[in-house]
Amino acid sequence: MAALRDVGEISRRTGVETHPLSGIRKESDRDYEMKLLVVVALITLADCQWLPDCGVTMYDDTAEGQPWDTPPRVTRTRSDGSIMIVGGEVARPNEFPWQVSLEDVVTPSHFCGAVVLNQDYILTAAHCTDGKSANGIIAFTGKVLRFDNAGDGTTRSYDLSTIIQHENYQPVLINNDISLLKVENQLVMDTSCVGACAPAADETYDGFQITVSGWGTTSSGGDLSDDLLYTNVWGISNTQCSSEYDGITQAMLCADSSGSDRDACQGDSGGPLVYNRNGRFEVIGLVSWGIGCATNPGVYTRVTHFLDWIAENAV
């Protein structure tokens, strides 16, 4: 039988001491310091992808042009009298400076939204990049009008060098629907191009008032909007969302408009769903999927679920 002094010896393999009487493992000072350094390094790695001056705009009332407690306004009609914008408001210049438009090089035309992470990386949905190559996509920042590729000095275009699509993306389930896009030349960061903030890792955003933006269609199967639009919706729990859909996973976040006909639609995919935390906007979701538009909850990629993946890949 081992002597008590042997039980209390420090293992050469683990550097951990076991108290001879209580059986409680006690870390050595050196081991504790090493673990603390690892924790600090991991925190630093997780935070370095997100810019310190993130999520700010030139307006004090960003996304407040649409009331939260009443149905949205119809803000414009076509010349033939048909409705052009339902459930959305026209964004002002630089009101959502983290918004990105992705265009097909061949067409060329807008096909998906995205969101600025930092000078080197953009976030979007994996279903926007699936089957595509980096040299087939151009990213535009600073846009308000969809066709404004020349711009007024704020619209800038960027070629991509790399697409990092989530390795476990499931196209049938539209699960793990996230990709990172690396630009060839760093984004010019100014009032027209600002990185979104990271979401709070421990927050579900259930019941939060949140905002989605993009140039998507103004009705299911309709035409893309010429203007950048936004609409305000409410986060709902995955349990509530599962009563509407099968296949809701932890990698998804749902939002609803409580019967106010507000939603993302085709062409908004990959674009940002944001929460205003004291004047700084956190990207909590990426437009992913749904049945119809404004008829069922919208389903988004839950960004908090992928914070570690972003930290490991946006390097």
Side-chain angles (χ1 to χ4, degrees):
M1 185 174 69
L4 284 176
R5 65 179 175 84
D6 294 329
V7 177
E9 288 181 352
I10 296 175
S11 164
R12 293 184 179 89
R13 181 176 300 174
T14 64
V16 175
E17 182 180 359
T18 303
H19 193 281
L21 298 179
S22 67
I24 298 173
R25 286 159 50 108
K26 183 176 69 176
E27 293 181 327
S28 68
D29 290 341
R30 181 179 179 184
D31 193 58
Y32 174 79
E33 290 172 359
M34 289 296 293
K35 287 188 175 182
L36 184 60
L37 287 172
V38 170
V39 170
V40 171
L42 288 173
I43 292 173
T44 302
L45 179 63
D47 288 343
C48 69
Q49 284 78 18
W50 306 88
L51 299 175
D53 52 350
C54 62
V56 295
T57 80
M58 60 190 296
Y59 303 99
D60 294 330
D61 59 347
T62 294
E64 294 180 9
Q66 181 183 72
W68 292 100
D69 56 351
T70 60
R73 301 189 298 273
V74 175
T75 58
R76 190 179 299 177
T77 59
R78 295 190 179 91
S79 58
D80 61 3
S82 61
I83 294 171
M84 182 177 178
I85 297 173
V86 178
E89 297 291 330
V90 178
R92 294 168 292 186
N94 306 328
E95 188 167 7
F96 299 95
W98 43 84
Q99 177 78 52
V100 176
S101 170
L102 300 181
E103 294 198 1
D104 185 275
V105 171
V106 176
T107 314
S109 61
H110 168 90
F111 68 91
C112 268
V115 57
V116 175
L117 176 63
N118 56 36
Q119 294 98 327
D120 296 301
Y121 285 95
I122 294 167
L123 280 171
T124 191
H127 76 263
C128 291
T129 62
D130 199 30
K132 294 185 180 294
S133 60
N135 60 11
I137 300 173
I138 299 177
F140 286 87
T141 64
K143 267 193 178 186
V144 177
L145 294 174
R146 180 165 53 92
F147 293 109
D148 185 17
N149 289 354
D152 56 2
T154 63
T155 300
R156 299 183 178 95
S157 64
Y158 297 90
D159 294 329
L160 305 183
S161 63
T162 310
I163 296 174
I164 306 171
Q165 186 168 295
H166 197 282
E167 59 277 10
N168 293 323
Y169 170 58
Q170 298 169 289
V172 175
L173 301 176
I174 322 182
N175 193 35
N176 300 315
D177 191 15
I178 188 169
S179 287
L180 279 163
L181 310 178
K182 187 172 185 180
V183 292
E184 280 195 356
N185 298 305
Q186 287 194 329
L187 304 180
V188 176
M189 310 301 286
D190 55 18
T191 56
S192 67
C193 181
V194 174
C197 294
D202 58 350
E203 186 59 72
T204 65
Y205 297 95
D206 299 352
F208 282 44
Q209 296 175 335
I210 47 187
T211 302
V212 61
S213 55
W215 291 272
T217 62
T218 55
S219 61
S220 183
D223 297 326
L224 292 174
S225 173
D226 292 341
D227 301 283
L228 177 62
L229 304 179
Y230 71 91
T231 194
N232 295 326
V233 292
W234 290 264
I236 63 173
S237 70
N238 279 20
T239 300
Q240 183 178 349
C241 195
S242 293
S243 67
E244 302 281 347
Y245 296 120
D246 293 327
I248 298 298
T249 72
Q250 293 180 346
M252 301 174 188
L253 180 153
C254 296
D256 202 2
S257 62
S258 299
S260 296
D261 295 330
R262 304 176 182 183
D263 198 3
C265 211
Q266 293 91 10
D268 290 321
S269 288
L273 178 71
V274 296
Y275 170 65
N276 182 359
R277 189 182 297 275
N278 301 319
R280 287 182 177 265
F281 286 80
E282 306 169 352
V283 57
I284 68 171
L286 304 172
V287 179
S288 185
W289 62 277
I291 296 177
C293 299
T295 56
N296 298 86
V299 184
Y300 300 78
T301 303
R302 186 182 291 273
V303 176
T304 54
H305 188 77
F306 297 98
L307 288 176
D308 289 344
W309 182 84
I310 293 169
E312 292 167 4
N313 288 279
V315 293

